Amino acid sequence: MANSENPLRERIARELRERRENGLFRTLEQPRGISLFSNDYLGLASDPRLREETIRAIRESGRVGSGGSRLLGGNSEDWERAEAEFAAFAGTEAAIYFSSGYAANLGLLAAVARPGDVVFSDSLNHASLIDGIRLSGVRKIIYPHGDFVRLEAELERHGDERGAKFIVTETLFSMEGDFAPVGDLASLARRYGAELIVDEAHAVGVFGPEGRGLAAAAAVENEALAVVHTCGKALGSAGAFVCSNRVLKEYLVNRARTFVFSTAAPPYLAHQIRAAVRLARGMDAERARLAELARVLREGLRGEGFDVGAGASQIVPLFAGTNERALSWAESLQEEGFAVRAIRPPTVPEGTARLRFSLTAALTRDQIEHLIAACVNARRRASTGSACSAASGG
Ligand SMILES: Cc1ncc(COP(=O)(O)O)c(C=O)c1O
């Protein structure tokens, strides 16, 4: 049957066409050049020690597949030990592993929130939090990014409602590179009888004592209902832990559908994650180096008159404003050997098209200096109109 006679296939083709026309078409590409979009913040994904530990675990393990869901044959001592050790790392009573951060957020939110409850969610929260909220059917109040006056006003306004209330936030926002004040949010939650759920995806391994995250740094990891730590970024592995008290873990084992109805990850991955956590704890030198590289880049770009926002993390946005400018800057930087993409609406709010530099401890100071100079060049080329707008992404 030709596409034109099949409404569904016609719709799929039309939507793809529209995405292309609007410059929103996504493709899978291998990064080329000096990567400025890796989340492997500490370099653990290619750390020889972690590779050795993983190879050893595969060699010693009786099997490389788990054989089933955790509730049906896929459980093992390896995963129980990984969860116990991760809980100790996160500073909570318990932890439960999901196969991805996306699955963790989806499973957690859809399990704990329900119609009749209210979720207060930062407008820049990650898609996995948004989708979990949607799936739960809960009423959602989206507060403007970082506007805690508005959040408090909303909490006050919904003060008399009987359902449960949740404040949901990332601790380090992936597009802005700025922090949520986790301690203040915990106080707000306490004052208004709300539960706090925080996502530490970009903070774990990088911030907090021994890289334990920003909830631990603010000493509210036990007060929060749940702290989600992903393993695919600074921990160089895959999956995520929802860290909480024992009762919530038991609840999630029973009710989180992305846990219950999904095959357990292979046992060697549990070893890899345990090794990654042990290594990450001792990587203060890499954390300091990363902070220094981010400082040099921010200050250098600010000194050249660029807008890099208000963050202070390893994620540095470079605001271009218009889509055309962001595309042109990205293309110039690509020509100078940097793997970087323009991030445009709808991924980010209208008028805030940007480049996003995600730094890792593997970068050198020379590369950062080169990057600053390349940004200045890119701006000059764009203003003289010599760069065309073919670079894409976001
Ligand atoms: C804030 C945040 N939460 C959750 C996730 C999802 O984690 P994962 O990649 O493990 O599915 C991401 C991934 O980019 C993220 O940035």
Side-chain angles (χ1 to χ4, degrees), residues 313-334:
S313 70
Q314 77 278 16
I315 299 168
V316 182
L318 177 64
F319 291 96
T322 65
N323 291 357
E324 294 68 32
R325 208 178 298 142
L327 286 165
S328 161
W329 290 3
E331 191 189 10
S332 289
L333 290 186
Q334 286 162 11

Side-chain angles (χ1 to χ4, degrees), residues 198-394:
V198 299
D199 177 341
E200 298 264 32
H202 295 274
V204 62
V206 181
F207 291 98
E210 300 185 309
R212 293 168 52 221
L214 291 159
V220 297
E221 68 274 39
N222 280 300
E223 199 176 323
L225 179 69
V227 182
V228 180
H229 290 278
T230 66
C231 307
K233 302 184 195 293
L235 297 179
S237 303
F241 291 91
V242 175
C243 303
S244 67
N245 64 21
R246 251 185 222 107
V247 175
L248 187 74
K249 174 173 176 173
E250 281 172 4
Y251 187 72
L252 294 175
V253 166
N254 282 273
R255 295 295 308 272
R257 294 171 69 83
T258 53
F259 176 86
V260 174
F261 298 106
S262 193
T263 299
Y268 67 80
L269 189 57
H271 281 270
Q272 181 183 326
I273 291 169
R274 288 170 56 211
V277 170
R278 281 197 301 275
L279 289 167
R281 289 182 99 135
M283 294 177 94
D284 281 345
E286 284 78 0
R287 281 185 276 278
R289 183 179 164 67
L290 188 55
E292 175 61 8
L293 292 173
R295 187 194 63 75
V296 170
L297 178 59
R298 259 199 191 84
E299 286 184 5
L301 289 172
R302 276 200 192 113
E304 295 291 349
F306 285 106
D307 178 4
V308 291
S313 70
Q314 77 278 16
I315 299 168
V316 182
L318 177 64
F319 291 96
T322 65
N323 291 357
E324 294 68 32
R325 208 178 298 142
L327 286 165
S328 161
W329 290 3
E331 191 189 10
S332 289
L333 290 186
Q334 286 162 11
E335 282 172 13
E336 294 215 37
F338 293 101
V340 63
R341 285 185 173 193
I343 316 275
R344 291 163 291 158
T347 304
V348 291
E350 206 60 50
T352 70
R354 69 195 69 176
L355 308 191
R356 171 184 177 270
F357 303 134
S358 176
L359 307 186
T360 73
L363 290 165
T364 65
R365 190 165 170 137
D366 279 356
Q367 287 170 327
I368 297 294
E369 306 280 0
H370 177 190
L371 175 59
I372 296 166
C375 290
V376 173
N377 277 342
R379 182 176 54 190
R380 191 170 41 239
R381 287 179 62 184
S383 66
T384 56
S386 62
C388 64
S389 50
S392 66

Side-chain angles (χ1 to χ4, degrees), residues 82-118:
E83 288 178 338
E85 286 184 15
F86 203 93
F89 171 66
T92 55
E93 215 174 73
I96 171 172
Y97 180 81
F98 289 75
S99 54
S100 71
Y102 188 91
N105 283 336
L106 206 71
L108 166 67
L109 283 155
V112 297
R114 61 186 54 171
D117 298 343
V118 190

